[in-house]
Amino acid sequence: MVQENFSQNILRVAVIGSGPSGFKAAEALLMQTEVPVQVDLFDRLPTPYGLVRGGVAPDHQKIKGVIAVYEKIAQLPGFRFFGNVKLGETIQIEDLKARYHQIVYAVGAESDRKMGIPGEDSMGSHSATAFVGWYNGHPDFREEKFDLSVESVAVVGIGNVAMDVSRILAEDADILAKTDIADYALEALRKSRVKTIYLLGRRGPSQAAYSPAEIKEIGSLSVADLVVDSREVELDEVSRADYADPENKKNVDYVQERAKFGEGTKSKKVRLRFCASPVEIISENGRVAALKIEKNVLVSDENGKAKAKGTGQFETLPVGLVFRSVGYRGIPLMGVPFDSRAGKIPNEEGRVVASDSKKVCAGEYVVGWAKRGPSGLIGTNRADSVSVVKNMIVDAKAGKFGWDVAHPEPHSIEDFLKRAHSRPVSFADWKKIDQMELEGGRRKGKIREKFSRVADMLGALDSPAGVS
Ligand code: NAP
């Protein structure tokens, strides 16, 4: 559908999701000079920043420094934030189409992959996603319970999320106390009796998904030793090609060096194991009692990539908790195409395509993990969102729109939300929540005391005294 005389109008864009990819798309739209644009950035939570707030570990405050960039984007003319507005609940796609010329899905990958082994649903078997959300005060995970009275824990997968989970479990609670960790999580971690954390990679050290800086951080913890078995870090033939990559080489060299330290003397141990796949969670009375693992060897697949092959040699680790950290996974949005195999929104260079016909859905775009799948660092989103926005501007200039916009006036969305009795949170509102959290943190000698319930956030906004 072509909209006549669009060039005389302002391009109104709704961006759904205010994590790194959403903010970067908003910035690219507002900074380009070819078409006048207004951006409304929506989030289902009252708080912005997605995984930067709810995913980045509390002891990684430097990474959260990127928020200063997002705050500047929020000041750009033409930008508005609508927090506490959930697509599919508060508002439907059709309501957006009545008000915006283009929609950008920047919804990330909110769920997680499963290991697919027997016993995975036992009590005490959790996703890393839930644990991360819990210690970060994410309202979705606030009520999760983790039995930290157990002595041994297994973390399956050796990506950077697994590093975060292991570090938070092994870290000195006094260090965490100064961060923005959720208060209830700190309390639980202070009482934790976890002494041993098995960190399980199904392939070798040359194929580890963690970054060199992240594994070194585990090796530098004040109260835990990183223990590596020298036999598991010897370089095999299949790994030579991966070892040639400088980052992989750093990872291998580091763990080979660590293996020389042996058991160490600290009270907690992070036991990093390679070529070990989980095969079964053994439970007693429905609770995790052990994890059975199989030793692997590495073989080359048809593309020459190192893959794990079971040897039939098994071992049982006596653990009371299992965290699977084997990758995030996108979840479908009502009315938006979804590739359930890949767990993302099907697209051609960010232009959403229909699941069956593969035809471009004009006017609908996708950025970030919802587009590419759950890999890459926060910084990866910049170039990615910029390239999708280029396509959006090309389409707008060519008049390639998907629908007629009945109510392009900026106040129309506000009127709609009022009629829906919704309580949208503006960026100015968020800054009030932000100030209250910082103040709460100052009182407790920590960086920030997060609100972890939506009702508390809204209550604090609407009562002059806030909540304590
Ligand atoms: P990831 O990097 O994809 O790592 C997933 C890990 O799970 C890999 O070790 C993978 O092994 C393993 N795995 C997958 N399926 C498995 C199975 N069935 N059994 C056993 N192991 C399995 O995912 P992530 O850790 O969730 O991280 C997601 C993204 O966020 C990454 O790009 C990461 O760098 C980023 N991130 C960065 C930071 C940071 O910079 N501090 C922090 C957190 C997250 P294979 O390699 O054998 O598949």
Side-chain angles (χ1 to χ4, degrees), residues 51 55-57 60 63 113-116 156-164 167 200-203 207-211 214 276-278 305-306 308 325-328 369 374-378:
L51 277 183
V56 172
H60 276 180
I63 297 179
R113 294 181 54 215
K114 289 233 171 189
M115 297 179 286
V156 177
I158 51 170
N160 284 331
V161 170
M163 298 301 114
D164 285 347
R167 207 178 56 254
L200 304 174
R202 63 177 168 182
R203 299 189 288 160
Q207 294 83 28
Y210 51 66
S211 314
E214 304 297 317
S277 276
K305 213 175 141 218
S325 185
V326 295
Y328 285 90
W369 279 7
S375 70
L377 307 177
I378 292 168

Side-chain angles (χ1 to χ4, degrees), residues 12 80 98-99 407-417 419:
R12 302 238 329 119
R80 294 189 302 182
R99 291 166 181 84
H407 309 290
E409 324 74 53
H411 65 82
S412 174
I413 183 70
E414 292 165 314
D415 297 345
F416 171 88
L417 293 171
R419 279 197 306 275

Side-chain angles (χ1 to χ4, degrees), residues 14 95 104 106 111 120 126 156 160 167 180 189 211 231 255 284 294 302 326 343 382 403 422 443:
D95 304 320
V104 184
S111 186
E120 193 161 1
H126 303 278
V156 177
N160 284 331
R167 207 178 56 254
D180 60 354
L189 286 162
S211 314
R231 290 163 302 181
V255 289
E284 274 167 23
E294 181 173 14
E302 58 280 12
V326 295
R382 192 181 164 277
W403 53 85
S422 141
R443 283 200 298 268

Side-chain angles (χ1 to χ4, degrees), residues 119-136:
E120 193 161 1
D121 295 328
S122 310
M123 246 188 301
S125 162
H126 303 278
S127 70
T129 319
F131 189 61
V132 168
W134 174 76
Y135 64 63
N136 273 324

Side-chain angles (χ1 to χ4, degrees), residues 50-197:
L51 277 183
V52 175
R53 178 178 165 98
V56 172
D59 58 343
H60 276 180
Q61 289 296 321
K62 249 198 200 156
I63 297 179
K64 296 192 197 210
V66 70
I67 284 174
V69 176
Y70 305 150
E71 287 187 330
K72 281 205 182 120
I73 297 170
Q75 301 315 314
L76 290 172
F79 176 95
R80 294 189 302 182
F81 176 66
F82 289 87
N84 197 35
V85 176
K86 184 169 181 184
L87 180 60
E89 227 173 87
T90 329
I91 195 162
Q92 308 300 329
I93 302 273
E94 291 315 312
D95 304 320
L96 291 176
K97 287 186 176 173
R99 291 166 181 84
Y100 299 92
H101 302 97
Q102 295 180 333
I103 304 172
V104 184
Y105 305 110
V107 292
E110 281 193 66
S111 186
D112 63 279
R113 294 181 54 215
K114 289 233 171 189
M115 297 179 286
I117 60 171
E120 193 161 1
D121 295 328
S122 310
M123 246 188 301
S125 162
H126 303 278
S127 70
T129 319
F131 189 61
V132 168
W134 174 76
Y135 64 63
N136 273 324
H138 191 299
D140 287 1
F141 303 102
R142 201 226 176 280
E143 307 303 337
E144 294 280 335
K145 297 275 176 272
F146 302 95
D147 180 5
L148 301 178
S149 69
V150 303
E151 286 212 351
S152 298
V153 168
V155 179
V156 177
I158 51 170
N160 284 331
V161 170
M163 298 301 114
D164 285 347
V165 166
S166 304
R167 207 178 56 254
I168 296 298
L169 286 167
E171 184 70 282
D172 179 355
D174 285 341
I175 292 176
L176 295 175
K178 299 191 179 77
T179 69
D180 60 354
I181 192 166
D183 52 355
Y184 55 80
L186 178 65
E187 204 183 308
L189 286 162
R190 275 201 190 285
K191 292 183 192 146
S192 165
R193 289 164 64 187
V194 173
K195 291 254 176 307
T196 304
I197 297 140

